[in-house]
Amino acid sequence: MLSDHIIITGGRALARSFAKINLTLDVLNKREDGYHNVEMIMQTVSLFDLVLVDKTHSGISVTTNLRFLPSNEKNLAYAAAREFFNATGMNGGCKIMIHKNIPVAAGLAGGSGNAAAVLAALNMLYNAGLSEQQLCELGLKLGADVPYCILGGTYLAEGIGEKLSPLPPMPNCSILLVKPPINISTAAIYEKIDSEDITVRPDTDAMGRALVSGDPSAVAAQLSNVMSTVTESMHPIVRGIKEKMIKNGAIGAEMSGSGPTVFGIFPDYATAKRSHDSFVYQFKDVFITAPAY
Ligand code: ATP
């Protein structure tokens, strides 16, 4: 639960805002409202941003350590604060400072996590008494991944990502994240999925059973992302990273979300570290993580 990762001291909240990976991701169909129905198994990993929220008398401000990120309502953290004050009618404001460690536009839901952290932090700072369910409803207005980020852990997400059912936690292992420096157009991927006959799809039920078994190799064997098939044809580097991870001893590797981050599951830390060391010469964004929550 996100609130377990928030410390309150006086009028200040310090939150850890975690990244997620998709153990499975399937796109079922396009809805009339333009969104897609998905079926995906999400897992929190131990890479996190720090989100500091100070209570103020009025107004909302956001600063981050990354100059290129917006500090106005285009920042999901700002939008979350505005949503909180609008929904609760509370008088007051907040000053938000974010230290980003999670790479941006990476398929790791970094921005959604920040929004979730701000909602949960303000709920605590202002004693607003919103239930987890109410926070998720507010979060959904900001993005389909925000409700999941409010809960955190291991979940099956359906609908546009907002229908969440808990699953057994992912067994402990080392998870290597590598983000190549490319920009993925999520819209272009959805377009291809809609127009082409996709044959390789995840077996979501089998992943559910693998989680119940508690065996990391069973989980690794079921990793699957319908978007990666499309992405790899446009950006072969994604496939290249997967193959290199497997050569380095990963028991499974897949792309997260709409990419471009690739994650590999390693049976032990030492093997993950050797693989990490072989990637850091090539890429800036390389992290050894583990299942979190
Ligand atoms: P998802 O996995 O949910 O698709 P993502 O990991 O691919 O998300 P984010 O890191 O959340 O992508 O960033 C997507 C866009 O959101 C970026 O273009 C960025 O400018 C914008 N953005 C707004 N607020 C934030 C924030 N607090 N942190 C990161 N990005 C943000």
Side-chain angles (χ1 to χ4, degrees), residues 20 69-70 74-76 100 103-112 114 145:
K20 64 86 187 152
L69 276 184
K74 289 201 176 119
N75 194 304
L76 280 165
K100 297 290 299 180
V104 173
L108 299 170
S112 303
N114 293 169
D145 284 344

Side-chain angles (χ1 to χ4, degrees), residues 1-40:
M1 216 164 89
L2 182 52
S3 49
D4 297 338
H5 299 279
I6 301 179
I7 300 168
I8 304 282
T9 46
R12 166 171 282 192
L14 177 61
R16 289 192 291 173
S17 163
F18 289 89
K20 64 86 187 152
I21 55 170
N22 293 87
L23 300 180
T24 63
L25 195 168
D26 203 0
V27 179
L28 304 183
N29 50 41
K30 191 170 181 176
R31 304 159 26 134
E32 284 190 354
D33 59 12
Y35 286 98
H36 286 80
N37 282 312
V38 294
E39 189 175 73
M40 49 194 188

Side-chain angles (χ1 to χ4, degrees), residues 2 5 7 10 32 36 40 66 74 76 87 90 96 104 111 133 139 154 162 174 177 225 240 267 277 280 284:
L2 182 52
H5 299 279
I7 300 168
E32 284 190 354
H36 286 80
M40 49 194 188
L66 299 179
K74 289 201 176 119
L76 280 165
M90 293 272 172
I96 302 167
V104 173
Q133 172 72 25
T154 316
E162 87 291 8
S174 287
L177 308 180
N225 179 344
D277 293 350
V280 280
K284 177 172 72 68

Side-chain angles (χ1 to χ4, degrees), residues 2 22 31 34 43 48 78 115 122 144 164 186 191 212 220 222 290:
L2 182 52
N22 293 87
R31 304 159 26 134
Q43 174 63 49
F48 57 85
Y78 186 110
L122 288 173
L164 296 162
T186 310
E191 221 167 86
V212 171
Q222 293 302 331

Side-chain angles (χ1 to χ4, degrees), residues 153-227:
T154 316
Y155 277 85
L156 167 67
E158 296 169 287
I160 63 166
E162 87 291 8
K163 287 185 193 144
L164 296 162
S165 318
L167 289 168
M170 184 178 182
N172 198 30
C173 57
S174 287
I175 302 173
L176 182 66
L177 308 180
V178 176
K179 180 194 165 283
I182 53 173
N183 293 319
I184 299 278
S185 160
T186 310
I189 297 179
Y190 272 120
E191 221 167 86
K192 278 211 165 186
I193 289 178
D194 287 338
S195 61
E196 285 176 17
D197 199 15
I198 306 284
T199 49
V200 183
R201 289 187 177 276
D203 185 340
T204 311
D205 291 340
M207 180 59 90
R209 289 192 295 274
L211 288 166
V212 171
S213 80
D215 173 7
S217 345
V219 172
Q222 293 302 331
L223 297 177
S224 181
N225 179 344
V226 78
M227 290 188 160

Side-chain angles (χ1 to χ4, degrees), residues 51-109:
V51 180
L52 193 62
V53 185
D54 282 334
K55 225 171 152 177
T56 61
H57 290 298
S58 64
I60 300 167
S61 72
V62 177
T63 51
T64 79
N65 59 322
L66 299 179
R67 287 212 183 139
F68 61 86
L69 276 184
S71 52
N72 55 13
E73 66 285 347
K74 289 201 176 119
N75 194 304
L76 280 165
Y78 186 110
R82 197 177 48 185
E83 199 58 54
F84 172 84
F85 289 112
N86 282 345
T88 58
M90 293 272 172
N91 279 323
C94 64
K95 183 176 155 196
I96 302 167
M97 282 169 282
I98 305 174
H99 185 93
K100 297 290 299 180
N101 296 309
I102 304 170
V104 173
L108 299 170

